[in-house]
Amino acid sequence: RRETIYRDLRALEDAGYPICGDESGRLSHPRLLPEARRHAPHLRLSDEEITALLWASRQAAEQSPFREALGAAAAKLRAMARQDQAAGIDAVMTEGGWGMKDYGPHRETILRLVEAILRHSRCEVEYQSPAAAAAKAYPYDPYRLVSVAGGLYCLGKVPPHENLTTLAVDRIRSLRITDDKFEIDPGLDLDRYRRESFGVVWEEPMNVMIRFSADQAPYVRERIWHPTQRIRDLPDGRIDLSFKAGGMFEIARWV
């Protein structure tokens, strides 16, 4: 179709290959400029790399705020792939999973958060928690985005308070980047935060032990629930799963 051809021509130009028309300038006979042929980069993704990227795009597209961009990138990858290779991904993998959040409507908020994190810029946010009747406005210093169980959250601080505040990105009603800068607390170890929390809420870590019945034991063994976990076998087929983490509400909800 004509639309497909023009889309592919635009994709070539976006990739750095200028397209020109015939001697009269008509694009009905498109061709590469001679300079583009001489300076074309000798880059070629391997079959395995193309398959890996197609696989990753299928997994990420469902909840990604860049769903349209991923679709366009996947179309270019399919054009680079062998016909059986591109068809193979569709044949062996289907996106799915209930309970996931759709971050498409929050794309601009995520992009502004990324910019504020990189520039250490303070934000003015309006945030509405599920328990609140209305959104609240306050300053917020965003430190890092973190993905947990299909949800996207931002770790940061609400000045002048010293404790970490975690915001669910999809509950941010508005976000404005200000001209004020903030300094990240040098004593804050975000990797430690991830190790010591069970989900997104950081609390003082505690020793947790959960005993699972024999029929549930195989399913528990199949996953890593926390980086500190240990599994102890019991004679009757039951198991004890132990770990050290904070966040009683999230741990109880998971159980």
Side-chain angles (χ1 to χ4, degrees):
R1 295 174 52 188
R2 182 186 301 271
E3 293 84 356
T4 303
I5 294 172
Y6 280 115
R7 183 198 65 195
D8 293 341
L9 289 175
R10 287 194 297 270
L12 281 169
E13 288 193 295
D14 291 342
Y17 298 92
I19 303 294
C20 64
D22 58 15
E23 288 76 6
S24 302
R26 292 177 299 181
L27 278 175
S28 56
H29 297 87
R31 59 183 177 178
L32 284 171
L33 286 173
E35 292 80 5
R37 293 194 186 97
R38 286 198 297 269
H39 300 292
H42 297 287
L43 296 178
R44 172 68 185 174
L45 294 173
S46 68
D47 289 345
E48 186 176 4
E49 290 169 335
I50 293 173
T51 301
L53 290 171
L54 284 171
W55 182 289
S57 70
R58 291 290 295 271
Q59 286 188 310
E62 186 71 20
Q63 66 174 139
S64 171
F66 307 103
R67 190 161 42 206
E68 292 184 5
L70 279 170
K76 296 175 184 178
L77 286 168
R78 291 175 191 280
M80 298 168 57
R82 302 189 317 268
Q83 186 173 1
D84 63 324
Q85 182 184 9
I89 292 293
D90 295 329
V92 303
M93 181 180 178
T94 300
E95 316 90 60
W98 307 112
M100 300 176 68
K101 293 185 177 182
D102 179 11
Y103 285 97
H106 308 286
R107 181 176 183 273
E108 294 303 319
T109 297
I110 294 171
L111 291 177
R112 283 195 289 269
L113 276 172
V114 170
E115 179 182 352
I117 292 171
L118 293 175
R119 296 185 178 182
H120 294 182
S121 297
R122 180 163 293 166
C123 299
E124 288 289 340
V125 302
E126 286 189 7
Y127 186 83
Q128 185 169 4
S129 65
K136 293 183 179 180
Y138 45 81
Y140 186 70
D141 298 343
Y143 282 10
R144 184 177 296 179
L145 291 171
V146 57
S147 177
V148 177
L152 189 61
Y153 302 86
C154 188
L155 307 180
K157 289 189 175 182
V158 177
H161 305 291
E162 289 299 319
N163 57 306
L164 274 178
T165 299
T166 304
L167 302 184
V169 170
D170 54 301
R171 295 177 190 149
I172 297 176
R173 297 294 173 255
S174 68
L175 184 145
R176 181 179 67 87
I177 300 176
T178 71
D179 294 329
D180 297 332
K181 301 296 182 182
F182 66 86
E183 296 291 334
I184 295 181
D185 181 0
L188 177 64
D189 186 349
L190 290 177
D191 291 330
R192 176 189 168 196
Y193 166 92
R194 293 292 294 127
R195 291 193 305 270
E196 293 185 350
S197 63
F198 189 76
V200 297
V201 177
W202 187 88
E203 296 174 354
E204 191 66 28
M206 55 189 170
N207 293 317
V208 179
M209 193 278 287
I210 308 164
R211 180 162 294 171
F212 290 93
S213 60
D215 62 322
Q216 291 301 310
Y219 303 104
V220 177
R221 290 181 184 278
E222 290 175 348
R223 302 191 184 212
I224 298 175
W225 303 103
H226 195 267
T228 64
Q229 75 178 41
R230 296 288 186 273
I231 293 178
R232 183 170 71 95
D233 296 307
L234 299 177
D236 56 1
R238 295 180 298 170
I239 62 171
D240 287 343
L241 173 70
S242 60
F243 54 86
K244 188 172 185 178
M248 175 60 79
F249 173 80
E250 290 180 299
I251 295 170
R253 183 176 61 179
W254 169 73
V255 172

